[in-house]
Amino acid sequence: AQTVTQSQPEMSVQEAETVTLSCTYDTSENNYYLFWYKQPPSRQMILVIRQEAYKQQNATENRFSVNFQKAAKSFSLKISDSQLGDTAMYFCAFMKLRFKTIFGAGTRLFVKA
Amino acid sequence: SQTIHQWPATLVQPVGSPLSLECTVEGTSNPNLYWYRQAAGRGLQLLFYSVGIGQISSEVPQNLSASRPQDRQFILSSKKLLLSDSGFYLCAWSVEGQYNEQFFGPGTRLTVL
């Protein structure tokens, strides 16, 4: 069974600095999708970034980028130039089987002014 | 553009009472629909998903049920609530037939006393 592990329950970063959130997953599959979702205090969950496992190039979305290490089954999220609005819970998620997305327990990120 | 609505936003119910949470999606047709539960400090647990009207798949055994009476309407119900049903319930939708991101509703916070 697939599992997703986020080993950092909480993290903090100073505004304008860079922070990396860790995620590892366990699967025997070769083709799958990985996601980072953000859940701010308003609780509205939104997608931050996605990565297809068959693509070697790491996905990038503005200040957000991932370090996808397929062999190591690692999918970390890097937030550059952190902003106060980045304060949120971040969930790593894995999708292989259609309709079934496995979420990690989340990392709570605090951006300090 | 597509939007997803959930109501109520918050709900406090006594143990043993019934439950009905509603989710509707606008701006898309034949979406895949999902119900998740998020316990405090934990990730999302998939409860139900639906690929079409009247088609419901359950992921975990529980005293909850789901129904999809219309294409863009998804309802989560219970005949008798338990204390353990307390949590944050999220409805989500995704594009039919694609491995893709899920779009989440604003959620319902349920407290069972």
Side-chain angles (χ1 to χ4, degrees):
Chain A
Q2 290 86 6
T3 58
V4 177
T5 302
Q6 293 180 249
S7 58
Q8 305 151 314
E10 282 192 5
M11 294 189 71
S12 63
V13 62
Q14 205 68 34
E15 195 175 9
E17 294 186 347
T18 295
V19 64
T20 299
L21 308 183
S22 301
C23 174
T24 58
Y25 56 94
D26 184 27
T27 184
S28 58
E29 303 292 339
N30 191 46
N31 295 318
Y32 47 88
Y33 288 71
L34 295 164
F35 306 88
W36 278 99
Y37 284 89
K38 170 185 176 181
Q39 187 179 40
S42 67
R43 308 305 295 267
Q44 181 74 52
M45 186 91 75
I46 56 174
L47 179 72
V48 175
I49 199 166
R50 57 173 273 172
Q51 173 83 41
E52 292 90 342
Y54 64 85
K55 290 185 178 179
Q56 293 186 340
Q57 186 174 6
N58 289 324
T60 299
E61 287 288 341
N62 300 316
R63 298 182 294 107
F64 299 88
S65 61
V66 299
N67 183 5
F68 174 47
Q69 301 290 328
K70 191 173 184 179
K73 298 179 184 176
S74 171
F75 183 60
S76 60
L77 174 69
K78 185 172 80 171
I79 306 175
S80 304
D81 185 25
S82 297
Q83 300 176 1
L84 296 178
D86 295 332
T87 292
M89 191 77 145
Y90 288 83
F91 293 98
C92 179
F94 169 99
M95 175 190 280
K96 164 54 185 177
L97 293 176
R98 199 172 173 187
F99 317 124
K100 296 187 180 182
T101 301
I102 309 299
F103 287 83
T107 295
R108 188 174 299 281
L109 176 67
F110 295 95
V111 180
K112 298 180 287 187
Chain B
S1 63
Q2 301 89 359
T3 56
I4 178 169
H5 304 279
Q6 271 188 257
W7 64 90
T10 59
L11 190 60
V12 180
Q13 291 284 94
V15 170
S17 64
L19 172 73
S20 181
L21 303 181
E22 190 164 343
C23 170
T24 58
V25 180
E26 296 177 357
T28 188
S29 59
N30 200 19
N32 300 321
L33 296 172
Y34 311 82
W35 276 113
Y36 289 91
R37 178 168 58 203
Q38 183 179 17
R42 302 181 66 178
L44 278 66
Q45 179 188 35
L46 179 63
L47 301 176
F48 301 93
Y49 67 90
S50 171
V51 302
I53 296 174
Q55 301 178 61
I56 308 295
S57 296
S58 174
E59 285 298 295
V60 292
Q62 61 216 329
N63 69 321
L64 299 172
S65 62
S67 61
R68 185 171 177 173
Q70 300 181 45
D71 180 45
R72 290 167 287 177
Q73 184 185 28
F74 205 23
I75 297 172
L76 183 69
S77 304
S78 174
K79 292 182 179 178
K80 288 185 178 181
L81 283 169
L82 306 173
L83 287 174
S84 58
D85 291 325
S86 292
F88 191 65
Y89 289 82
L90 285 163
C91 181
W93 68 274
S94 66
V95 176
E96 178 193 4
Q98 296 184 21
Y99 292 115
N100 211 326
E101 68 181 280
Q102 295 181 19
F103 300 90
F104 289 83
T108 295
R109 174 160 301 286
L110 171 66
T111 303
V112 183
L113 301 175

